[in-house]
Amino acid sequence: MASVQITSAETIQPSTSTPEHLRTLKLSMLDMHTPALYLPLILYYSSNSIGDNAHNASKTDQLKSSLSEALTRFFPLAGRMKDESSVDCHDQGVDFFEAEVSSQLSEYLSLPNIEEFLSQLLPCNFFNSKSGTEVLLAIQLNRFQCGGIAIGVCVYHLVADMVTMATFINCWATTARGANYVLCPTFNSASLFPAKPVEKFTPAITETISTKRFVFTESSIATLRAKSSTYSPVGRPTRVEALSALIWRSVIKATRKEGCSRGLVCQHAVNIRSRMDPPLPDHSFGNLFIVAATSGVVEKDLYQGCLEEQLREAFRQINDAHVRELQGPNGHSKISQSRRIVAEKFSNMDIEFCTFSSWSRFPFYELDFGWGKPVWVSAAPFLLRNVVILLDGRCGNGVEAWMNLEKEDMARLMKDEELLSFISNPVIV
């Protein structure tokens, strides 16, 4: 099996000091209701685009210097948590690790059960950085023997969602390849959603989680959507609705316990930037998403079209009126009460949850640091039960579903004939 050896570790600080009046960033209400964990992303670049190893030192220097420049715009990521509701932005810096991988990139990515090994390429585990410092951003540059590289990025979810992470990496890549125009983020989410004291939300890790990657090609998604439209009362579902319903059905069947009837709820993180009136730009910094939750079904209602309908209605309710209600005087209590009820029912096993986060349609495959676009972009294992990440596939308009289930449940899900009829897991490189 390939090994990953850390060869160096350093701290990268912003190239320009953060002005005194920006040294404290207040978190928003939505930030403070976000899980305190690291979001992972890994970008893979082949040696064909990077070139020979003789130039790798200059490319590393280029990555570091452009990262330093990008941090002047995204200065909160170089800070530290000041307290539970604010970030100390005194340019403490981000972790930057370099590592050597004892294999070719193609060999590594063709490992059986590759999902189990990807955490080696990341600078953080689920809750902690490899340096042991509570950084808000960490990066690991992994070099393969062939000259290919993988850039592992982790951002602390309490201060940034995946939209913010994607915007930051795009700024970094744009700076690295010498482009003149780079968007600067806006930092007004705390004024839009004023925060109140709230207990820090740290989800419980489950050590018996199995992570599997399921690939849905463009053609299989089209077939699924066409099939779903014949049953669904809401008409032709979107690809996210169709895939989520299919996966949700499979999870329900895999996790059901004999003789036990429970509520079955699907939760989907929804980016609200474009759903507000007027809309917020994508470069609005922070956690600007709301969880759309279905009302739940019982096992006897598990028929084709039911789940698609529930998802469509849950998404429909996340609109400007709902956002404005959360901005009102009762917004904080509404979110707190909802989270408390969910936590209690989940712990009592009264409800089975399936939680989705779609990273699809993000321009990850356009991230060019000056040596070409990535050959693959991946998530990594989430040690949380029934969590599904949807990510664009490397070819065309396909989607990869990164599913995290209890090992026994995963074994049952892997036998689900309906799910298996739509998936295809080709060799990555």
Side-chain angles (χ1 to χ4, degrees):
M1 185 186 75
S3 63
V4 180
Q5 182 70 38
I6 300 293
T7 57
S8 70
E10 61 183 292
T11 300
I12 305 295
Q13 296 174 303
S15 59
T16 303
S17 297
T18 300
E20 192 63 35
H21 69 283
L22 298 177
R23 291 296 179 93
T24 298
L25 176 73
K26 292 188 177 298
L27 298 184
S28 73
M29 174 182 69
L30 301 180
D31 290 326
M32 296 185 66
H33 284 280
T34 301
L37 51 83
Y38 285 100
L39 289 175
L41 190 73
I42 309 174
L43 309 167
Y44 306 82
Y45 298 86
S46 74
S47 57
N48 294 333
S49 58
I50 294 174
D52 59 61
N53 291 328
H55 300 288
N56 277 352
S58 62
K59 287 182 171 63
T60 301
D61 291 340
Q62 179 186 6
L63 277 179
K64 292 178 182 178
S65 62
S66 57
L67 173 60
S68 181
E69 290 182 45
L71 288 173
T72 64
R73 300 178 178 89
F74 289 79
F75 55 89
L77 296 179
R80 300 290 184 271
M81 294 303 299
K82 184 176 185 178
D83 50 44
E84 292 184 351
S85 61
S86 63
V87 178
D88 179 21
C89 306
H90 275 73
D91 305 327
Q92 293 93 329
V94 305
D95 283 350
F96 190 95
F97 299 95
E98 296 179 56
E100 298 290 338
V101 185
S102 64
S103 73
Q104 310 285 322
L105 176 61
S106 59
E107 293 173 347
Y108 188 88
L109 295 183
S110 62
L111 288 172
N113 303 317
I114 179 62
E115 300 87 355
E116 299 176 7
F117 305 106
L118 297 182
S119 295
Q120 303 174 91
L121 305 179
L122 291 169
C124 303
N125 64 26
F126 216 52
F127 291 136
N128 301 293
S129 68
K130 288 183 177 178
S131 67
T133 305
E134 294 183 349
V135 295
L136 304 186
L137 174 69
I139 292 147
Q140 184 168 313
L141 174 62
N142 304 277
R143 296 190 187 88
F144 292 85
Q145 291 181 343
C146 59
I149 64 172
I151 302 175
V153 184
C154 288
V155 67
Y156 195 47
H157 200 0
L158 198 64
V159 300
D161 60 13
M162 186 51 70
V163 175
T164 292
M165 184 176 183
T167 304
F168 163 73
I169 301 175
N170 183 57
C171 172
W172 178 20
T174 303
T175 304
R177 66 175 185 268
N180 293 323
Y181 179 67
V182 179
L183 283 176
C184 293
T186 58
F187 301 94
N188 61 343
S189 61
S191 62
L192 295 172
F193 300 93
K196 293 183 179 179
V198 62
E199 184 179 352
K200 186 178 180 181
F201 177 33
T202 303
I205 283 182
T206 304
E207 297 292 348
T208 55
I209 290 294
S210 173
T211 300
K212 297 292 182 184
R213 178 183 64 99
F214 297 94
V215 177
F216 298 87
T217 64
E218 182 178 6
S219 60
S220 68
I221 294 172
T223 301
L224 174 62
R225 293 178 65 191
K227 179 181 178 182
S228 298
S229 66
T230 62
Y231 296 96
S232 176
V234 297
R236 186 177 176 85
T238 67
R239 68 175 194 163
V240 168
E241 289 170 347
L243 284 172
S244 299
L246 171 66
I247 293 168
W248 187 17
R249 275 194 298 275
S250 300
V251 171
I252 289 170
K253 289 180 281 186
T255 58
R256 65 160 50 131
K257 303 297 185 290
E258 188 174 349
C260 178
S261 181
R262 294 173 293 176
L264 304 161
V265 173
C266 177
Q267 301 180 121
H268 231 296
V270 177
N271 176 19
I272 63 172
R273 292 170 177 85
S274 62
R275 292 174 181 251
M276 297 176 66
D277 187 15
L280 296 177
D282 282 344
H283 56 267
S284 297
F285 188 95
N287 288 286
L288 289 159
F289 71 92
I290 295 173
V291 173
T294 64
S295 58
V297 297
V298 294
E299 292 179 2
K300 63 183 178 62
D301 294 327
L302 190 58
Y303 57 86
Q304 192 92 29
C306 171
L307 305 187
E308 289 87 346
E309 182 180 7
Q310 291 246 355
L311 284 165
R312 174 70 61 87
E313 178 60 22
F315 290 145
R316 187 188 65 81
Q317 292 180 7
I318 306 298
N319 53 26
D320 183 66
H322 180 70
V323 173
R324 290 186 183 279
E325 187 177 7
L326 293 181
Q327 290 178 298
N330 298 321
H332 175 81
S333 60
K334 284 181 177 294
I335 292 182
S336 296
Q337 182 181 15
S338 174
R339 198 180 81 179
R340 183 170 58 254
I341 292 172
V342 165
E344 290 174 354
K345 289 187 175 182
F346 184 77
S347 62
N348 293 332
M349 302 303 288
D350 293 330
I351 290 180
E352 187 70 62
F353 287 95
C354 188
T355 301
F356 288 81
S357 184
S358 177
W359 303 352
S360 180
R361 303 300 192 193
F362 289 4
F364 293 133
Y365 281 94
E366 300 300 316
L367 293 173
D368 180 0
F369 288 87
W371 53 70
K373 299 175 182 179
V375 295
W376 190 42
V377 179
S378 83
F382 270 67
L383 299 180
L384 299 177
R385 185 161 60 93
N386 300 351
V387 169
V388 181
I389 305 297
L390 300 179
L391 192 63
D392 286 336
R394 62 183 296 265
C395 297
N397 293 316
V399 173
E400 296 185 1
W402 292 73
M403 299 176 61
N404 303 267
L405 276 70
E406 293 276 5
K407 291 181 179 179
E408 292 183 359
D409 295 338
M410 182 65 79
R412 286 190 287 269
L413 180 134
M414 294 288 288
K415 299 176 182 178
D416 187 294
E417 293 183 1
E418 182 189 15
L419 178 66
L420 294 177
S421 69
F422 288 101
I423 64 175
S424 172
N425 279 25
V427 176
I428 298 167
V429 294

